[in-house]
Amino acid sequence: MAGDTDDDARVRRPGANGHRTVPHTADVRVEAWGASREQCLVEAVLGMVECFADLSGQRATAVRQVQVAECSDDDLLAALLDEVVFRLEVDGDVPVDVEVEAVEGGLDVRMAVTDVRSVPVIGAVPKAVSWHELRLAPGPYGWSCAVTVDV
């Protein structure tokens, strides 16, 4: 389930999906996990968005499709989150739902979005994705990732 905060690796169920934020000096740290790499990426996007926007009750007004070229797992995470920041800054798009599918040559990402002006802003808006301690990797319970977002 999106937003599941049952993140302790000792009790995390195989196949579970979720995300959480953890304290980080002057920035936001997002940790996410999923049964697959693609679901983990979905959770990372939702976790980053929920750091600054209240998505409860929000409905999508458009769907944006993005292609992310195949590269290392860490690069995929950074590229996808950079795309979300870019679309927020340039178009005012906030993802309310995300689908990620592995395709030949990379990822096919579909983001159901709404205008940032229609969403209650509850925190600092992300400005960039930090490469410091960024990771996306498989583990015993599925995939997990962690990223620091500059706000």
Side-chain angles (χ1 to χ4, degrees), residues 78-146:
L80 178 56
L81 295 180
D82 279 341
E83 182 70 25
V84 172
V85 171
F86 173 78
R87 288 180 178 268
L88 176 63
E89 290 177 350
V90 173
D91 302 323
D93 286 345
V94 176
V96 296
D97 194 21
V98 182
E99 294 177 3
V100 177
E101 180 181 355
V103 295
E104 186 174 330
L107 299 175
D108 180 31
V109 181
R110 289 170 300 287
M111 293 184 281
V113 299
T114 194
D115 191 295
V116 69
R117 294 173 297 209
S118 69
V119 175
V121 176
I122 58 172
V125 175
K127 299 296 178 199
V129 176
S130 172
W131 281 93
H132 182 69
E133 297 182 343
L134 179 140
R135 67 169 174 75
L136 171 64
Y141 299 102
W143 283 73
S144 65
C145 68

Side-chain angles (χ1 to χ4, degrees), residues 26-126:
D27 295 314
V28 174
R29 184 94 173 143
V30 176
E31 296 177 352
W33 53 94
S36 65
R37 178 182 71 165
E38 293 74 21
Q39 188 59 44
C40 186
L41 290 166
V42 165
E43 293 294 336
V45 170
L46 295 175
M48 183 175 77
V49 170
E50 290 174 5
C51 289
F52 74 92
D54 179 1
L55 298 178
S56 57
Q58 295 298 314
R59 297 174 81 63
T61 57
V63 175
R64 307 287 187 234
Q65 189 161 353
V66 178
Q67 300 292 317
V68 180
E70 187 64 46
C71 48
S72 75
D73 293 329
D74 290 350
D75 289 346
L76 284 174
L77 174 61
L80 178 56
L81 295 180
D82 279 341
E83 182 70 25
V84 172
V85 171
F86 173 78
R87 288 180 178 268
L88 176 63
E89 290 177 350
V90 173
D91 302 323
D93 286 345
V94 176
V96 296
D97 194 21
V98 182
E99 294 177 3
V100 177
E101 180 181 355
V103 295
E104 186 174 330
L107 299 175
D108 180 31
V109 181
R110 289 170 300 287
M111 293 184 281
V113 299
T114 194
D115 191 295
V116 69
R117 294 173 297 209
S118 69
V119 175
V121 176
I122 58 172
V125 175

Side-chain angles (χ1 to χ4, degrees), residues 7-26:
D7 64 325
D8 187 332
R10 292 170 294 167
V11 297
R12 192 179 307 162
R13 299 169 313 279
N17 303 313
H19 59 265
R20 72 174 187 158
T21 57
V22 293
H24 192 273
T25 307

